[in-house]
Amino acid sequence: MNQNQKPFRRIVTGHDENGNAVIVSDAPPVHTQLVGGPGGPTFFEIWHTIETPAPIHHQPDLPDESNLVLPPPKNGTRIRIIEFPPEGEEIRKLTGADAAAKFKSMGDEKASTNTGEAPHPLMHRTETVDYGIVLEGEITLVLDRGETIIYPGDVVIQSGTNHAWANRSNKICRMAFVLINGEYTN
C-alpha cells in the first residue's frame, strides 16, 4: 500500500459453534502484488468464490491462491482493490508484447488486446461482468470509442468490453472491483 494512502482492513464474518455471527478475521489483505514494477498498479486480493451459488460455511475458508489471477474462477467471483499510480511515459510507450507480458504477470496474457493501434497500450478484455467503484482519486475509463473520467463514488459496470484504465491525475486512484465470471453470447 502506498505510504500516502489510508490503510484498509479485510473483515471476514462467520458463525461460532452456537450459530452466532462472529468476526473470523480482521486484518489487512493477505495477498498484495505490485504489477509491472515501480509505477505499476498495486493489487490487493480481498476474496473470491469458486462457484455460484457460493457455499456459506460457519467458518469461511480463506482463498488459497498464491499468485495474482486477473479473472475470477469459472462460475465464481472476485473482489479486489487496485491502487493506480499516476500514469507515466513508461506506460504510454508500451508495445503490444510489453502489454501482453504485464497481463501474463496478472495470470491472463490473453486479456491484452493491444494491437499497436489501440487507444491505450493496456487495453484488455475479460469474459466477466465487473463492478468498479472509485474510492479515492480519479481515473479515466478508456474504451474503443470514447472515454470518461470516473470520480470518487462513481460506479462502472464493465460488461466484457475492451477497455483500459488511465490515471492522468497527479495522485493515486484507489478502486474496488467485484468481478463476476461471465460468458459471451455472441
Side-chain angles (χ1 to χ4, degrees), residues 33-43 68-71 84-85 87-114 120-124 165:
Q33 184 171 331
L34 174 64
V35 175
T42 301
F43 282 63
L68 178 64
V69 180
L70 190 61
F84 296 94
E87 187 175 287
E89 282 300 310
E90 68 280 356
I91 297 294
R92 291 188 275 277
K93 292 181 180 179
L94 290 174
T95 66
D98 295 336
K102 291 209 181 285
F103 283 100
K104 184 176 183 177
S105 74
M106 293 182 250
D108 196 1
E109 181 178 16
K110 67 181 182 195
S112 179
T113 59
N114 181 346
H120 190 278
L122 292 176
M123 295 295 285
H124 63 285
W165 301 103

Side-chain angles (χ1 to χ4, degrees), residues 131-179:
Y131 306 139
I133 305 121
V134 174
L135 303 173
E136 297 175 34
E138 65 182 53
I139 199 157
T140 301
L141 169 62
V142 181
L143 300 172
D144 291 328
R145 293 195 165 96
E147 58 182 54
T148 189
I149 299 173
I150 314 297
Y151 299 99
D154 290 346
V155 179
V156 175
I157 293 86
Q158 185 70 7
S159 298
T161 53
N162 196 36
H163 69 286
W165 301 103
N167 184 347
R168 298 174 181 154
S169 76
N170 62 0
K171 60 184 186 174
I172 286 183
C173 175
R174 181 185 283 175
M175 289 186 73
F177 289 93
V178 176
L179 293 80

Side-chain angles (χ1 to χ4, degrees), residues 36 38 45 47 54 74 84 88 95 110 114 127 130 160 182-184:
E45 296 301 279
W47 200 263
K74 184 75 174 161
F84 296 94
T95 66
K110 67 181 182 195
N114 181 346
E127 200 166 357
D130 305 340
E183 189 172 294
Y184 295 124

